Amino acid sequence: MRFTIICFVLIVLCSCHSEKPTKQRNFSKVEINALHEDTLFNIRALELLKKDRGCIFLNSDGRGGLVMEELRANKPDTTVVYDYFHKMNTNIILNYRSVATTNKDHYGLTIGSPAYLLRAAHESLDTVYKETHPKTFYDSMDFWNDQEGIAIGDPTDDCMSIIITRDGGETWTKLSCDDLPKAKEGEAAFAASDTNIAIVGNHTWVATGGKASRILYSPDKGKTWNVYDTPIIEGKETTGMYSIDFYDENNGFAIGGDYTKPNDTLNNKIRTQDGGKTWQVVANGKGPGYRSCVQYVPNSNAKELVAIGFKGIDYSNDAGETWRHLSDEGFYTIRFLNDSVAYAAGKGRISKLTFRE
C-alpha cells in the first residue's frame, strides 16, 4: 500500500511539472534593415532558399534576385545577387507574383494571360507550363516535396484553377473541374503575397477570396478536395482572405479584409483549430485592418503571428486574440528565417526584420 501511494504521489508531481507553462514571448519592437532598394521594386513573390541561408524574390517587371547570408563570427555577411532571373526577360513583361524552390531548382509563375511558369536550374531557364486562356490569372505556388508541387489561380471555368506536378517540375497538369469543388459566383483569389496556399505534410489548404471566400482542402497532396465556408468578410471583388498559414495539421490563421478600406477591422481575421473545417473570427473590430500576409512565428506553439501589409507590421502572441502594432513601415509579404528573424519585401525594397522583446 505504501509503495502504491508513493507511486501515485510521484505521478502527480511529474504530471504537474510537465504542465508547467513555458515562458511566453511578447515582441515589442521590430528592427528593419534594408538589404536592397530599388524604386522599381514591387515584390510579392518571396521564398526561403532550401539549401542556403537566404531567400529568393521575383519582381513584377520580370526581374529577381537572391539574398545570400553566410554566418561569420556569428554575424551574417549578406550578399544580394540581383537580376538572378534576368534571362527570364522577354518581349513580354513577366509580372511575377509567385516563386517556389526545391533542393534543385527555382520556379517563377506570372499572372495574366499568357501565364508562364519558368524553371531556373543549372544556369538554364525553361518554360515548363504556359496557359493562354483569356481568364488565366495565377496567384500562388508551393511544393510538397522535391517532386510534387501545386499552383492555384482564378477560375477559367466553373472551378478554381489548380495545376500540379508529380515529376519534379518537368510537367504540370491542370486539374479538371470534375475533380474540384465548384466555384461560387465571383470567387477567385488574390496575388497579394504568394500565401494563398498552406502546406503541412500531405495536407493542403487554399484560401479563396472575392465575392465568396472559402477554404479548399486536400488531405492527400491534391488528389481529392473538400471545401469549407469561412466567416471572413466577403461580397465584393476586393474582400476576403488574402493570406493563410498553418502551424500544424490543426492550427491555422487567415487574414485579409478589403484593401480599398485598409483601416476596417471587422471580420478580417479568422482562426481554425480543427484543420480548417470550422473557423472563428478573432479580434473583431480590433487589431490590424487589411493585411496582405500573415505567418506563424516558428517554435511558438501556434501562439505567435505576424501580419504585414502596406499599412504596417502587427504582432500577436495569443493566437490572434490581441495584437500589437510594431511599425508603420509597409511591406507586402514576409517569410521567417527563424523564430525572431524574417525577410520582408514590398514596394521599393527587400529587408531583414529582427523582432525583439
Side-chain angles (χ1 to χ4, degrees):
M1 177 64 72
R2 179 178 297 177
F3 178 76
T4 302
I5 294 173
I6 292 173
C7 290
F8 175 76
V9 172
L10 288 174
I11 291 171
V12 170
L13 289 174
C14 290
S15 298
C16 292
H17 178 74
S18 65
E19 292 176 2
K20 183 179 179 180
T22 58
K23 182 181 181 294
Q24 187 175 21
R25 294 188 307 175
N26 190 9
F27 291 139
S28 61
K29 59 183 178 180
V30 57
E31 297 174 1
I32 301 173
N33 177 31
L35 299 175
H36 197 82
E37 296 179 295
D38 188 321
T39 57
L40 299 179
F41 269 1
N42 179 30
I43 301 170
R44 300 178 187 269
L46 177 70
E47 193 55 78
L48 298 179
L49 298 175
K50 297 294 185 184
K51 292 183 177 180
D52 303 301
R53 181 183 170 102
C55 63
I56 183 171
F57 60 92
L58 294 179
N59 197 36
S60 61
D61 65 359
R63 298 176 299 163
L66 299 175
V67 174
M68 306 290 292
E69 288 193 334
E70 183 178 352
L71 290 177
R72 295 179 180 177
N74 293 322
K75 294 183 179 180
D77 183 14
T78 303
T79 302
V80 178
V81 182
Y82 193 46
D83 277 347
Y84 174 76
F85 270 49
H86 69 281
K87 295 179 181 178
M88 289 188 177
N89 287 323
T90 66
N91 293 329
I92 301 173
I93 295 177
L94 300 176
N95 188 341
Y96 288 107
R97 299 293 182 90
S98 304
V99 64
T101 66
T102 67
N103 283 309
K104 296 194 310 176
D105 308 321
H106 304 304
Y107 295 84
L109 179 60
T110 69
I111 60 173
S113 181
Y116 292 91
L117 202 171
L118 297 120
R119 177 181 60 186
H122 307 297
E123 303 299 325
S124 66
L125 185 69
D126 303 306
T127 299
V128 292
Y129 183 81
K130 180 181 178 181
E131 189 170 330
T132 58
H133 192 286
K135 294 182 179 179
T136 297
F137 195 101
Y138 279 92
D139 305 282
S140 190
M141 176 172 50
D142 207 344
F143 273 74
W144 292 288
N145 51 55
D146 282 351
Q147 292 299 309
E148 298 171 293
I150 180 174
I152 66 102
D154 295 355
T156 57
D157 198 350
D158 61 354
C159 67
M160 294 292 292
S161 295
I162 296 182
I163 58 174
I164 288 178
T165 182
R166 307 283 186 194
D167 59 5
E170 291 286 342
T171 60
W172 294 74
T173 301
K174 189 170 185 177
L175 298 186
S176 168
C177 284
D178 294 337
D179 300 320
L180 290 170
K182 186 176 181 180
K184 290 187 174 182
E185 181 180 356
E187 184 176 20
F190 297 109
S193 61
D194 195 14
T195 51
N196 305 85
I197 303 170
I199 288 175
V200 176
N202 294 340
H203 301 268
T204 309
W205 299 266
V206 172
T208 70
K211 294 182 179 180
S213 188
R214 302 186 296 171
I215 296 292
L216 304 185
Y217 167 69
S218 172
D220 49 17
K221 293 186 291 187
K223 296 181 177 66
T224 61
W225 293 88
N226 297 313
V227 62
Y228 303 122
D229 292 328
T230 77
I232 204 163
I233 185 172
E234 58 182 19
K236 294 169 57 179
E237 291 182 353
T238 53
T239 57
M241 288 178 285
Y242 280 71
S243 177
I244 187 173
D245 194 25
F246 267 74
Y247 186 85
D248 53 32
E249 294 179 7
N250 294 313
N251 293 282
F253 201 92
I255 201 166
D258 184 342
Y259 81 88
T260 67
K261 300 177 180 179
N263 295 322
D264 286 3
T265 59
L266 292 175
N267 301 320
N268 75 314
K269 301 170 287 290
I270 60 174
R271 182 181 67 207
T272 181
Q273 295 174 308
D274 61 6
K277 297 180 180 64
T278 62
W279 295 78
Q280 299 78 42
V281 174
V282 296
N284 205 19
K286 300 175 290 184
Y290 163 78
R291 294 293 183 268
S292 56
C293 187
V294 66
Q295 294 284 280
Y296 279 101
V297 180
N299 305 318
S300 67
N301 196 29
K303 295 296 185 182
E304 295 180 64
L305 294 150
V306 169
I308 206 164
F310 64 80
K311 280 286 187 174
I313 304 169
D314 297 85
Y315 166 77
S316 172
N317 72 341
D318 56 8
E321 292 289 342
T322 61
W323 293 81
R324 170 178 287 170
H325 187 67
L326 298 182
S327 174
D328 291 331
E329 297 286 343
F331 293 92
Y332 296 144
T333 190
I334 184 173
R335 298 295 184 277
F336 273 91
L337 179 64
N338 54 43
D339 58 12
S340 61
V341 177
Y343 300 110
K347 185 174 178 60
R349 60 182 169 167
I350 181 167
S351 300
K352 179 189 279 189
L353 276 53
T354 303
F355 295 87
R356 301 191 187 280
E357 293 188 80

